[in-house]
Amino acid sequence: MKTGSKALLTGTGLIAAFALFFGFNILVNNGLRDARIDLTEARLYTLSDGTRNVLKAIPEPMTLRFFFSDKLAGNAPQLKQYGNRVRELLERYASLAGGKIRLEVIDPEPFTEAEDRAVQAGLQGAQLPGGQLYFGLVGTNALDQQQTITFFQADKEQFLEYDLTKLVYSLSNPTKPTVGILGALPLEYGPGGMMAAMRGQAQPYLILEQIKQFFQVKMLDAAKPEEIDDKISTLILAHPKDLSPQAQYAIDQYVLKGGRLIVFADPYSETMSAMPNPMTGRPMPGGDQSSLLPELFKAWGIEVASGKFVADLALAQRVQTGRSGAAAVVDYVPWLAIPGERLSRDDVVTAELTQINAASMGSIRKLEGATTTVTPLITSSNQAMLMDVKDLDGDPNPQALAEKFKPTGETYMLAARISGTVKSAFPNGAPPVEKKDGDKPAVAPAAHVVESAKPINVLLVADADLLDDRFWVRSQQMMGQNMYVPIAANADLLVNAIDNMSGSGDLIGLRSRGRSQRPFEVIDNMRRQAEQQFLARQKQLEQKLETTQKQLADLQSKAQDQSNALLSAEQEAAMTTFRDDLLSTRRELRGVQRELNRDIESLQVLVKFINIGLMPLLAALVAVGLAIVWRQRRIRRALEG
């Protein structure tokens, strides 16, 4: 082949290669824009089916404005990395929403209109050397209703998908959910009930005022079970004591039909035990103060120990007692101050809570053969045991309870989430109603549901006392006003639970995800071990060094006291030995530090090689292999021709 023809072919080949390169990129950008390969352990970049369902169900277009001070974040690499992660996730939401989400990415630089918009939307700014950094999201729907995430906190990354999906769901379903409340605890009137409230001696429980800020609340009458219908998005049972079979049947059917249920059931309600008599105004201790629902619980695959409460010495609140004329502060094992580490960090309801205060909580157990999934939300420590509720009758003695306390070493489930398909607790249908003279004609009953078509959603807390003001809030006088200061997150627990349960089933099913920022745990562990070993050896050598220096100083002092007298040969030898020991110890100290850092440095070099050099090396090896194969083919064709 002539030289000119070869040059022409070479040029044509280059043009074809460039055309192929650009064509491939255009094809990938347009045809494979949504294609992803997620190789992370926690599937960080794979949206759950729940989120996909929420995105598909968006009825009207909405706008999401992502405010991120990208330039300012350049000085904070971790923040910038998290900002990129949020932006990529939002782009993924927009691409899967079928055109129903319009995403705007805004960099609100200081003293610009974009910054004014961020401030107007209520976003929080973080002060950095170059100005205020904004990192939030504002969503608006077709009705101009707004939902906001004021600042994306990196330590909440495991709930990032939940927060974004919840915001989208709230914009798609802007009506406030209706919450129904049923039970013996007089949340609407306060301690003493309606009579005490009418006399001005009681006021509604503060926790009821808290949930009224976020939801529509409907107080239900246990004597009218027909009020439990599908208009109620979430039903709360607050100490469901002495419920009639008809009321329990209505709850059973509500749950089987997909209703969401939050239960505060108690083996012993100290609140009701201390409740004043409406007539006398004095407490009515004693009697059955439990509110368990054994038949319903059995149908849901669980059991709460009857007549027992969980005593926990490690979580016990300190109370003052004045028995025998001597005041003392002692651990009161029935009253628990449950810290964050005993609350599930994988469930959005409890993940951010710091402490829950409760009294005489029950123990939840999953029954053998249960078809449901029971996930613990709150657990006791292993310094706990089950005690008899009779020990709480009258005026319980904290010291006597402490002396009786014998920990079993077992942890007890105090609150749980229950899901799965179940059958009705009433296999024969609705229980018969006793008719009385003058009763109105019965309304035709709805069709009996034998089994749930979908997994049920029940959240059970084995205590109703934690709803009582005295366990989670303190009253303070400030500038003539009565102020209430929370001392525990009991109200947050209830609001979070309602917020989660009132969402769609897809939203409830979302769980925490992993974090994109993964620490080098192996290296960190090696460093900690090395430091511990080094510190132990360093301490030994430093003690030896100090002893040697002291002995040397003593010897030198004796020599000066002898006023120019010459040291004996033994003293000179001892001083030489001490000086040698001093230098040897110093050298050994340096050697120990070098030796213990050697493994860490070797591992770091290996990690750097894998991250930086491995892929180019693999690519080079593949290229060399292909070149060898092509060369052998050319030689083979030349020999055959």
Side-chain angles (χ1 to χ4, degrees), residues 257-575:
K257 292 175 183 175
R260 290 71 186 271
L261 181 66
I262 303 172
V263 186
F264 292 90
D266 210 323
Y268 184 88
S269 172
E270 299 191 29
T271 300
M272 296 303 291
S273 176
M275 195 75 70
N277 186 309
M279 303 303 295
T280 64
R282 296 179 179 176
M284 304 178 295
D288 182 10
Q289 302 295 348
S290 69
S291 58
L292 307 181
L293 301 169
E295 295 302 322
L296 289 176
F297 289 171
K298 183 180 178 182
W300 302 336
I302 56 168
E303 177 187 63
V304 178
S306 178
K308 302 288 184 182
F309 72 92
V310 177
D312 193 323
L313 185 60
L315 307 182
Q317 294 186 35
R318 303 276 289 171
V319 299
Q320 188 169 7
T321 176
R323 292 175 179 273
S324 303
V329 178
V330 298
D331 291 322
Y332 189 46
V333 291
W335 287 8
L336 309 183
I338 307 168
E341 52 264 33
R342 305 309 312 171
L343 311 176
S344 173
R345 287 326 194 203
D346 294 327
D347 196 295
V348 70
V349 172
T350 52
E352 298 295 319
L353 304 184
T354 54
Q355 178 177 309
I356 297 295
N357 287 349
S360 56
M361 298 192 79
S363 170
I364 304 169
R365 185 178 70 87
K366 181 179 180 180
L367 297 175
E368 290 186 10
T371 58
T372 50
T373 299
V374 181
T375 307
L377 294 182
I378 306 176
T379 55
S380 73
S381 76
N382 58 7
Q383 295 295 307
M385 68 171 290
L386 292 181
M387 298 185 78
D388 201 318
V389 297
K390 292 181 179 177
D391 293 331
L392 301 176
D393 281 344
D395 186 13
N397 184 344
Q399 291 178 329
L401 289 172
E403 291 171 1
K404 195 174 181 180
F405 180 80
K406 304 290 182 189
T408 61
E410 182 182 350
T411 58
Y412 297 91
M413 190 168 20
L414 308 175
R417 188 189 285 273
I418 303 150
S419 61
T421 56
V422 299
K423 293 182 179 178
S424 171
F426 296 83
N428 298 322
V433 180
E434 184 180 352
K435 292 184 178 179
K436 298 178 182 178
D437 294 338
D439 284 353
K440 295 180 180 178
V443 179
H448 175 65
V449 178
V450 178
E451 185 174 1
S452 61
K454 294 182 179 179
I456 64 170
N457 285 297
V458 176
L459 198 153
L460 170 61
V461 181
D463 182 42
D465 295 315
L466 60 80
L467 302 175
D468 191 342
D469 295 350
R470 62 178 171 143
F471 288 105
W472 69 275
V473 70
R474 289 286 181 270
S475 173
Q476 293 181 356
Q477 287 291 327
M478 187 175 295
M479 301 180 67
Q481 298 292 324
N482 205 19
M483 306 292 290
Y484 295 97
V485 181
I487 58 172
N490 295 18
D492 297 331
L493 171 68
L494 179 55
V495 171
N496 287 355
I498 300 172
D499 192 38
N500 177 250
M501 299 288 270
S502 297
S504 71
D506 296 317
L507 196 59
I508 295 172
L510 289 181
R511 294 290 183 269
S512 67
R513 309 294 289 269
R515 294 174 182 272
S516 59
Q517 296 179 6
R518 302 288 297 275
F520 292 101
E521 295 178 357
V522 174
I523 292 179
D524 290 343
N525 289 335
M526 290 179 67
R527 181 177 289 111
R528 280 193 289 272
Q529 291 176 4
E531 287 174 352
Q532 289 176 356
Q533 295 176 21
F534 173 74
L535 288 175
R537 183 62 179 151
Q538 184 186 35
K539 190 174 181 180
Q540 293 176 357
L541 292 174
E542 286 177 345
Q543 289 176 347
K544 181 181 177 183
L545 188 64
E546 185 179 357
T547 304
T548 304
Q549 288 175 329
K550 186 177 179 182
Q551 290 173 334
L552 186 59
D554 291 343
L555 203 56
Q556 290 172 339
S557 176
K558 288 179 182 177
Q560 291 175 357
D561 292 343
Q562 292 174 1
S563 62
N564 298 328
L566 294 175
L567 294 175
S568 66
E570 292 180 353
Q571 288 175 322
E572 288 185 350
M575 287 189 69

Side-chain angles (χ1 to χ4, degrees), residues 13 39 44 54 56 95 98 106 118 151 188 225 268 338 366 472 555 563 585 603 619 633:
L39 301 179
L44 288 174
V54 170
K56 288 178 183 175
S95 68
I106 302 169
F151 197 95
E188 198 174 11
Y268 184 88
I338 307 168
K366 181 179 180 180
W472 69 275
L555 203 56
S563 62
T585 304
L603 185 59
R633 285 181 179 176

Side-chain angles (χ1 to χ4, degrees), residues 566-614:
L566 294 175
L567 294 175
S568 66
E570 292 180 353
Q571 288 175 322
E572 288 185 350
M575 287 189 69
T576 303
T577 302
F578 288 150
R579 289 195 183 98
D580 290 343
D581 282 349
L582 192 67
L583 295 174
S584 173
T585 304
R586 290 179 183 278
R587 280 196 297 272
E588 195 174 353
L589 266 172
R590 292 195 295 272
V592 167
Q593 192 166 18
R594 279 199 303 272
E595 186 69 24
L596 292 175
N597 285 335
R598 184 174 301 164
D599 290 342
I600 296 175
E601 291 171 356
S602 300
L603 185 59
Q604 286 178 331
V605 169
L606 178 62
V607 171
K608 286 181 181 177
F609 169 74
I610 293 174
N611 284 336
I612 300 173
L614 183 60

